[in-house]
C-alpha cells in the first residue's frame, strides 16, 4: 500500500542544515498496524507529516498503491494531493484538535464538509456507527469541552475515520492520557485495525501502544530499524 524510497528531509538550523530523515525507506502492506518509536526530536512527526502529504520530502519517492504521491524536492502540494489526503488518510493528533464550539457529532462530521455545505445521510449514519463502535453514542450532542480526555480521544478517532480512509496516521495519540485511558485507546486502535481493516501507522513513546502494533520500528539517526 505504501512505499517510501530514500526519503530525506532537512531543516535549516542557523547556518547549517539539519538532516532529520536520511534516506529512509519503509514498506507498508494493506492492513498493517505499525508503531514508530524514538526519542523526542528523532523525526517521528516529520515522517507522519510526509506520509500525510502535509510536507514534501527533499529527496526520495512516496508511493501509494504504486502511484507516486509526492516526489522529493516538491515545492508545494497540488489540489489532487489535497483530495487524496481527505479521501485516503485520517489523522489522530496528540492534542486531538477538536473544535470546542461544536458538538461531538459536528466534530466527527467536519471532514465530510471539505467540498460541500452539508453532510449526506450516509455520512451521518456512518458517524453514528463510529460513535457506537467507540462507545460514545450517548455523548453525540455534547460539547467536546464537557468530555474527559479519553472521551475526546475517541471523538478524534471517529473524526479520523469518517471518510473511510485506507490509512490512519496517529501522532502520540495517548500522550495526554492516563494509563487507564491509554490502554482503552490501545484496544480501540486494535479494534479499528481488525474490524475496519484500516492500515495504521502510529508514532508513540508508549510501550502500551507499541505493544498492540503488529510491527515496531525505531527511528534514530534519520532511518528506521526493526
Amino acid at each position: 500500500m505504501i512505499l517510501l524510497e530514500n526519503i530525506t528531509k532537512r531543516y535549516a538550523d542557523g547556518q547549517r542544515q539539519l538532516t532529520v530523515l536520511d534516506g529512509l525507506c519503509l514498506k507498508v502492506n494493506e492492513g498493517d498496524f505499525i508503531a514508530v518509536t524514538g526519542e523526542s526530536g528523532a523525526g517521528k512527526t516529520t515522517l507522519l507529516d510526509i506520509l500525510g502529504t502535509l510536507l514534501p520530502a527533499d529527496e526520495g519517492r512516496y508511493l501509494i498503491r504504486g502511484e507516486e504521491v509526492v516526489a522529493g524536492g516538491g515545492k508545494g502540494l497540488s489540489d489532487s494531493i489535497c483530495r487524496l489526503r481527505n479521501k485516503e488518510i485520517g489523522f489522530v493528533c496528540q492534542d486531538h484538535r477538536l473544535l470546542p464550539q461544536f458538538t461531538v457529532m459536528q466534530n466527527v462530521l467536519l471532514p465530510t464538509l471539505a467540498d460541500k455545505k452539508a453532510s449526506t445521510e450516509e455520512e451521518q449514519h456512518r458517524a453514528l456507527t463510529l460513535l457506537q463502535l467507540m462507545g460514545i453514542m450517548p455523548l453525540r450532542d455534547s460539547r467536546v469541552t464537557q468530555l474527559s480526555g479519553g472521551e475526546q480521544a475517541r471523538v478524534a478517532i471517529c473524526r479520523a475515520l469518517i471518510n473511510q480512509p485506507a490509512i490512519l496516521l496517529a501522532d502520540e495519540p495517548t500522550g495526554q492520557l492516563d494509563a487507564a485511558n491509554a490502554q482503552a485507546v490501545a484496544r480501540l486502535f486494535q479494534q479499528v485495525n481488525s474490524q475496519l481493516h484500516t492500515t495504521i501507522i502510529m508514532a508513540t513513546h508508549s510501550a502500551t501502544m507499541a505493544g498492540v502494533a503488529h510491527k515496531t520500528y525505531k527511528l534514530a539517526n534519520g532511518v528506521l530499524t526493526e
Side-chain angles (χ1 to χ4, degrees), residues 1-15:
M1 173 171 280
I2 290 174
L3 183 63
L4 297 182
E5 294 183 332
N6 302 313
I7 294 294
T8 296
K9 186 64 182 178
R10 305 179 185 90
Y11 294 105
D13 182 21
Q15 298 298 315

Side-chain angles (χ1 to χ4, degrees), residues 8 13 17-18 25 34 48 71 104 114 122 132 157 194 209 223:
T8 296
D13 182 21
Q17 291 284 315
L18 177 65
C25 296
I34 290 173
L48 289 187
V104 166
E122 179 184 355
Q132 186 69 41
I157 295 171
S194 62
M209 290 301 291
V223 297

Side-chain angles (χ1 to χ4, degrees), residues 5-216:
E5 294 183 332
N6 302 313
I7 294 294
T8 296
K9 186 64 182 178
R10 305 179 185 90
Y11 294 105
D13 182 21
Q15 298 298 315
R16 64 189 182 98
Q17 291 284 315
L18 177 65
T19 300
V20 178
L21 304 180
D22 189 8
L24 181 147
C25 296
L26 176 66
K27 180 180 179 181
V28 181
N29 295 315
E30 188 170 359
D32 277 353
F33 184 177
I34 290 173
V36 178
T37 65
E39 296 181 0
S40 296
K44 299 188 299 297
T45 296
T46 295
L47 173 60
L48 289 187
D49 284 347
I50 290 174
L51 286 166
T53 74
L54 299 173
L55 187 69
D58 295 322
E59 299 172 15
R61 296 201 307 159
Y62 173 20
L63 298 92
I64 294 181
R65 298 193 184 94
E67 294 188 15
E68 192 161 60
V69 178
V70 181
K75 300 301 182 184
L77 301 174
S78 66
D79 289 344
S80 63
I81 295 299
C82 294
R83 286 192 294 271
L84 178 143
R85 180 196 308 135
N86 198 49
K87 178 182 178 183
E88 296 280 2
I89 302 172
F91 298 87
V92 178
C93 304
Q94 181 175 344
D95 60 3
H96 309 318
R97 299 183 186 176
L98 302 174
L99 297 186
Q101 68 270 35
F102 291 156
T103 66
V104 166
M105 186 71 167
Q106 289 169 331
N107 268 279
V108 171
L109 288 169
L110 272 176
T112 69
L113 304 178
D115 57 359
K116 57 184 182 295
K117 294 183 178 179
S119 303
T120 65
E121 288 187 11
E122 179 184 355
E123 288 165 342
Q124 293 176 31
H125 176 73
R126 190 185 309 142
L128 293 173
T129 301
L130 288 169
L131 292 173
Q132 186 69 41
L133 179 68
M134 295 295 147
I136 52 173
M137 174 71 85
L139 302 175
R140 63 185 180 274
D141 295 321
S142 300
R143 299 277 184 181
V144 293
T145 51
Q146 299 172 307
L147 308 185
S148 68
E151 290 166 344
Q152 289 183 8
R154 292 166 189 250
V155 176
I157 295 171
C158 290
R159 183 184 59 188
L161 296 172
I162 188 62
N163 282 337
Q164 299 178 297
I167 303 160
L168 181 65
L169 303 177
D171 192 1
E172 298 289 355
T174 60
Q176 298 186 23
L177 302 179
D178 59 27
N181 276 312
Q183 289 178 346
V185 170
R187 290 192 294 270
L188 289 173
F189 270 74
Q190 282 183 305
Q191 194 173 5
V192 167
N193 178 250
S194 62
Q195 294 187 20
L196 302 181
H197 310 294
T198 305
T199 301
I200 301 176
I201 305 173
M202 168 183 63
T204 183
H205 282 104
S206 167
T208 297
M209 290 301 291
V212 300
H214 300 159
K215 188 181 298 184
T216 299

